Amino acid sequence: MILVLQLFFVLAVIILIILFVFQPKRKEPFALPENYAEYLLDYVPFYANLDETGKRQFEEKFEKFLSAVKITGANAEVEDLDRILIGAAAVIPVYFIRDWEYMNLREVLLYPGHFNQDFEQHGHERTVSGMVGSGALQHVMILSKWELRQGFINRQSSRNTAIHEFVHLIDKMDGTLDGVPEILLEKKYVPQWQQLLENTMTAIRRGESDIDAYGATGAVECFAVVAEYFFEQPDLFQLNHPELCQMLQRIFIRTR
Ligand SMILES: [Zn+2]
């Protein structure tokens, strides 16, 4: 009888341990960083220039993105400002697109500065400050904290690494990273867009363009680089590159 009781006791303990170990982990409820709207006003002109309704719409998309995608520091502390800038860079290119979701992203890894990489198709100074993963790092984006902040602090620049990487994700959404975002660009405009990218790369190579030289690397980078410029310096871009501007408006803005 004692043996049966002991067995029963042991069994009960084992069941309790199993229940304890496998209890569903409760997810921490997502909370937006404190004072996020002030940060957005200070660091993100795209947001600051929206009217009140536009700001609310931006915030909704921003909150949705930040609650869906994990941001992890890899030897870098993820501060509120970093979360806010990553959220802003994610929303800016798709702000005008209804119900957009980055289906191909689950996590952003934040590195302190530049990093080496031996995967992905990039091979230049700039890729070490940001990249979208492939293979084992599928659905992961890596950003350098330094470059993330520079993109928003330096107002005179047409570069923004985080926006650049999100544009790659948009490009990749149709299954191919080729500089043509088929998911957003009507088919009839594709040949015109490809020709425009070619012409733009030629102009950069000849030194006849104010577009960052990295844009001449290939169609994929050209699309991301002109999109950075389009969102960072919209007035200057419109003035200097009306044809490209019209096409980027078709891609990023017409769908609203
Ligand atoms: Zn790139």
Side-chain angles (χ1 to χ4, degrees):
M1 183 63 186
I2 288 173
L3 192 69
V4 173
L5 274 175
Q6 277 176 335
L7 267 174
F8 180 76
F9 181 73
V10 169
L11 208 67
V13 169
I14 290 171
I15 289 170
L16 278 175
I17 290 172
I18 290 173
L19 283 177
F20 181 75
V21 170
F22 291 100
Q23 69 174 329
K25 302 251 184 313
R26 263 187 303 154
K27 212 180 154 204
E28 289 276 312
F30 171 76
L32 277 176
E34 242 180 90
N35 305 331
Y36 72 91
E38 284 168 39
Y39 277 116
L40 285 173
L41 279 176
D42 282 352
Y43 286 89
V44 185
F46 183 98
Y47 170 84
N49 291 333
L50 294 168
D51 62 17
E52 287 315 303
T53 315
K55 285 191 174 79
R56 295 296 85 76
Q57 287 171 344
F58 188 100
E59 287 163 19
E60 276 170 31
K61 290 162 191 273
F62 173 81
E63 182 169 11
K64 191 174 152 200
F65 174 84
L66 287 178
S67 59
V69 174
K70 203 172 148 192
I71 301 174
T72 312
N75 299 318
E77 189 194 342
V78 181
E79 295 170 65
D80 282 351
L81 179 59
D82 303 312
R83 278 180 223 288
I84 287 161
L85 298 184
I86 291 170
V91 172
I92 289 169
V94 294
Y95 173 75
F96 296 102
I97 300 158
R98 210 185 291 273
D99 300 325
W100 180 270
E101 254 181 81
Y102 288 98
M103 314 292 275
N104 49 1
L105 183 68
R106 69 180 150 76
E107 186 170 19
V108 176
L109 292 180
L110 196 64
Y111 281 45
H114 290 180
F115 49 89
N116 294 323
Q117 49 102 23
D118 43 22
F119 34 87
E120 256 282 307
Q121 60 277 66
H122 301 73
H124 62 106
E125 152 269 315
R126 183 172 192 142
T127 55
V128 294
S129 61
M131 60 171 291
V132 290
S134 59
L137 282 178
Q138 187 78 351
H139 299 176
V140 175
M141 176 187 289
I142 305 179
L143 286 174
S144 129
K145 180 167 167 163
W146 166 259
E147 285 294 337
L148 168 69
R149 291 189 174 203
Q150 281 307 307
F152 288 93
I153 291 169
N154 188 349
R155 291 284 167 87
Q156 306 312 317
S157 163
S158 60
R159 295 177 60 170
N160 183 309
T161 296
I163 291 179
H164 178 107
E165 298 307 326
F166 280 103
V167 171
H168 280 329
L169 284 186
I170 294 165
D171 182 357
K172 216 177 168 185
M173 202 80 136
D174 54 33
T176 49
L177 189 58
D178 57 359
V180 183
E182 276 97 342
I183 206 158
L184 297 180
L185 184 64
E186 279 179 77
K187 222 180 163 75
K188 63 178 176 186
Y189 293 118
V190 170
Q192 196 185 334
W193 173 239
Q194 286 171 317
Q195 188 56 53
L196 200 49
L197 286 177
E198 280 302 324
N199 299 348
T200 303
M201 288 189 280
T202 306
I204 297 173
R205 286 184 198 119
R206 286 183 183 153
E208 294 166 358
S209 175
D210 66 338
I211 295 170
D212 191 282
Y214 184 54
T217 317
V220 172
E221 296 309 330
C222 194
F223 173 39
V225 168
V226 296
E228 278 177 84
Y229 189 168
F230 174 72
F231 288 114
E232 285 289 286
Q233 306 277 348
D235 297 337
L236 192 63
F237 189 75
Q238 164 95 58
L239 191 71
N240 292 344
H241 308 281
E243 220 185 330
L244 273 172
C245 190
Q246 190 190 32
M247 211 52 142
L248 289 181
Q249 280 169 348
R250 281 196 182 110
I251 293 171
F252 294 112
I253 297 178
R254 80 173 163 88
T255 27
R256 184 167 227 197

